[in-house]
Amino acid sequence: MTLALLLAAMVATQPGATEVGAGPRRFALVVGNNRGTAANVPLRYAERDALAVLGVLREVGGLRREDGLVVLGSDADAVRDALARFERYLRAQARQGDQLFVYVSSHADAGELHLSGTRLPLHEVVRFLEAAPVSVALLVVDSCQSGEAARLKGLKPIPGVLVNLERQELSGRVIITASAADESAQESDALAGSVFTHHLVAALRGAADVSGDGRVTLAEAYTYSYARTVESSLLSRAGTQHPSFRFDLQGKGDLVLSSPARATSLLTLAIEEPGDWTVSTLSGEPVLGHVRKGAGATTLALPAGGYILTTRSEHTAMEARVQVPDAGRAELTRSQLRPQRLETNVLKGALPPRWRLHLGPSVGRPLIPSFGPMVGATAALQHSWKESGVNLTTAVLDVRRGAHPSGDLEQYDATARLGLGHLTRDWHGLQLHVSLDAGATLSRQRQPSTGEVGLALQPQVGATVGAWLRVHGPLRLSVLGNAGHTWSRADAGAGSALSLGGSLGLGWVR
């Protein structure tokens, strides 16, 4: 269905609309599962997406806490049980005119959801939608399967499995899928969620409110989500993703899905010009990444807290930091924006160029076995530039001191190493790295009783491993360890020694 046909079908034909919170009671069931069958690579964001959808419906969709049910990480039998329990709840609580929102995100193929090693035919969810004692029911399916370049969402709509919306018993039902019948849907690390769901949540928070009336209708939400999903997936190796929309809605008026203007915490972009914006927390987590703002002011419903907002034109980028209050409205004006340096674009989901600095105390194994531990400090500088493969350059400097138990011989080591390796993606604030290194150790020995001093330069090869754990904003707790082989000069000729070391300190990411 084209967007023009959608808009024509959804435009109101009489004054007024079905308003969130103004009459109909809303119920919601959300299902998320990161784990599919044994053949599926685990997803990262399906369960997180389900919680995001439930959260936005509670914040701006008029959903009472007791009227929402979330099912995370459960198998097919547990989901069937949840559907049965929620159907009984609806029969006891729902009345004519009420609404139901069902959201599913998991692995899938051939019309079956993959849930923790089991399979659930999607038509069982559709039957639940059919039988629900509500006037309007909306099903959003964002289901996925694994792929090498991206975690693919492989639900392939099959006639008779999803729904034939010409069937009379589905009057007042809407089904939206994240992709067309012959496509896959995608997750994005840059958005920290699935592409379609991310844009749908942004739409419901107010990004899709093109009319500026403080409400987001079904037509506005789908039109925004469709356009942004296509745009976000244009350069993906998995192919362009086109969401699918099917409906059979009778009656007059628009179906309002959310009312952002009624939220307790609001942010108004009081800037007239249209443009693209990103909204992130102060620690860099995307909240409403890549929001398309139309002409005039735009109001977004956001949880209270601090945010970084960035916008750019062809040649400039501007950034501002805003604090959204617990109850009230924050406003961003042009005077608050500050110019930012532009960076080179990378493919969606890739790591942007990033520097990491580590500083901390360290300890190492002495090259001379009779010495005690070598203690001192370590500084490391890293640069990552792409998503996978060899993507990390590391430079490390260790400065340590040790002494012979007799007290009449002391040694100072300064070790410099350069390495190439791999940095993993961020996983709940944790990143790991490993690199192969080469360098040299400059050793200075001094005998206090005689004042005699000796110098030696000793080559070294080895490996470095490390972990970076987010503490707050750009601050990290960092751990580095290294192991290698050092060639040293001895009285009887060339010798060798195993070199070991480690450092626990603080890191800074930029």
Side-chain angles (χ1 to χ4, degrees), residues 139-154:
L139 171 63
V140 176
V141 181
D142 199 343
S143 293
C144 7
Q145 70 179 19
S146 173
E148 180 180 356
R151 286 161 301 282
L152 303 181
K153 298 203 157 197

Side-chain angles (χ1 to χ4, degrees), residues 5 43 62 65 134 170 181 186 228 288 290 297 312 358 361 384 399 440 491:
L5 179 58
L43 298 169
R65 182 162 295 275
V134 295
L170 288 178
Q186 304 160 39
R228 299 300 291 155
L288 299 181
H290 312 298
R312 63 156 296 170
H358 163 92
S384 56
V399 178
D491 294 339

Side-chain angles (χ1 to χ4, degrees), residues 48-104:
R48 178 174 177 171
D49 286 340
L51 292 175
V53 169
L54 185 66
V56 75
L57 290 177
R58 284 174 172 167
E59 290 178 45
V60 298
L63 177 68
R64 304 176 190 175
R65 182 162 295 275
E66 65 270 21
D67 291 338
L69 176 63
V70 59
V71 185
L72 300 179
S74 298
D75 63 14
D77 287 339
V79 173
R80 287 190 183 97
D81 179 67
L83 291 172
R85 286 187 289 113
F86 205 64
E87 183 174 358
R88 291 193 294 271
Y89 181 77
L90 289 173
R91 295 197 180 281
Q93 299 290 330
R95 300 292 181 267
Q96 185 66 29
D98 289 344
Q99 301 171 6
L100 171 65
F101 192 113
V102 180
Y103 172 87
V104 178

Side-chain angles (χ1 to χ4, degrees), residues 161-497:
V161 175
L162 282 181
V163 62
N164 178 350
L165 287 165
E166 295 178 356
R167 292 166 59 185
Q168 293 303 309
E169 64 266 28
L170 288 178
S171 176
R173 268 48 179 169
V174 180
I175 294 183
I176 297 176
T177 60
S179 59
D182 57 348
E183 296 173 347
S184 295
Q186 304 160 39
E187 285 190 329
S188 166
D189 290 319
L191 299 178
S194 64
V195 174
F196 176 76
T197 297
H198 175 88
H199 293 308
L200 176 62
V201 170
L204 296 178
R205 288 196 177 278
D209 181 20
V210 294
S211 66
D213 62 357
R215 308 177 307 169
V216 177
T217 66
L218 175 62
E220 288 176 325
Y222 179 76
T223 302
Y224 178 91
S225 304
Y226 180 96
R228 299 300 291 155
T229 298
V230 171
E231 185 176 2
S232 296
S233 59
L234 276 174
L235 298 181
S236 170
R237 283 176 287 181
T240 305
Q241 177 180 333
H242 300 83
S244 174
F245 180 96
R246 297 179 174 90
F247 74 98
D248 181 8
L249 285 178
Q250 300 177 0
K252 300 178 180 179
D254 288 332
L255 175 62
V256 176
L257 295 185
S258 68
S259 296
R262 295 189 176 186
T264 57
S265 300
L266 296 170
L267 171 63
T268 296
L269 304 181
I271 296 173
E272 290 297 318
E273 296 82 1
D276 290 333
W277 291 75
T278 60
V279 183
S280 305
T281 65
L282 295 180
S283 61
E285 291 290 330
V287 178
L288 299 181
H290 312 298
V291 172
R292 173 67 50 81
K293 188 187 86 66
T298 296
T299 297
L300 303 172
L302 296 172
Y307 295 92
I308 299 175
L309 286 91
T310 306
T311 185
R312 63 156 296 170
S313 60
E314 184 178 357
H315 302 293
T316 61
M318 306 291 284
E319 181 181 284
R321 299 192 175 210
V322 179
Q323 187 72 30
V324 176
D326 286 326
R329 181 190 302 264
E331 187 173 84
L332 174 66
T333 62
R334 181 165 294 281
S335 62
Q336 296 170 257
L337 294 171
R338 297 291 180 266
Q340 299 294 310
R341 184 181 64 184
L342 293 179
E343 296 182 353
T344 303
N345 288 337
V346 296
L347 291 177
K348 177 180 61 65
L351 290 171
R354 182 168 294 179
W355 292 92
R356 288 170 177 77
L357 175 66
H358 163 92
L359 295 173
S362 67
V363 62
R365 181 179 185 272
L367 297 177
I368 302 176
S370 59
F371 270 50
M374 305 289 290
V375 296
T378 293
L381 183 65
Q382 295 184 334
H383 179 238
S384 56
W385 66 90
K386 66 176 184 176
E387 180 180 11
S388 61
V390 177
N391 64 352
L392 185 71
T393 303
T394 302
V396 182
L397 177 63
D398 297 317
V399 178
R400 299 178 182 137
R401 177 189 179 278
H404 193 273
S406 67
D408 196 33
L409 185 61
E410 56 188 19
Q411 179 167 317
Y412 298 86
D413 287 344
T415 302
R417 303 190 306 275
L418 290 176
L420 289 175
H422 174 68
L423 177 72
T424 68
R425 294 175 176 176
D426 190 294
W427 185 73
H428 298 294
L430 176 66
Q431 286 184 283
L432 306 176
H433 81 264
V434 60
S435 65
L436 298 178
D437 308 326
T441 297
L442 178 63
S443 296
R444 178 181 182 271
Q445 288 187 348
R446 178 177 177 273
Q447 191 170 9
S449 60
T450 63
E452 184 178 353
V453 175
L455 292 175
L457 184 64
Q458 302 155 119
Q460 180 186 112
V461 295
T464 296
V465 296
W468 303 77
L469 179 64
R470 184 185 303 117
V471 176
H472 179 72
L475 190 63
R476 302 290 189 270
L477 177 65
S478 48
V479 181
L480 301 183
N482 69 280
H485 185 79
T486 300
W487 288 268
S488 58
R489 296 181 60 184
D491 294 339
S496 63

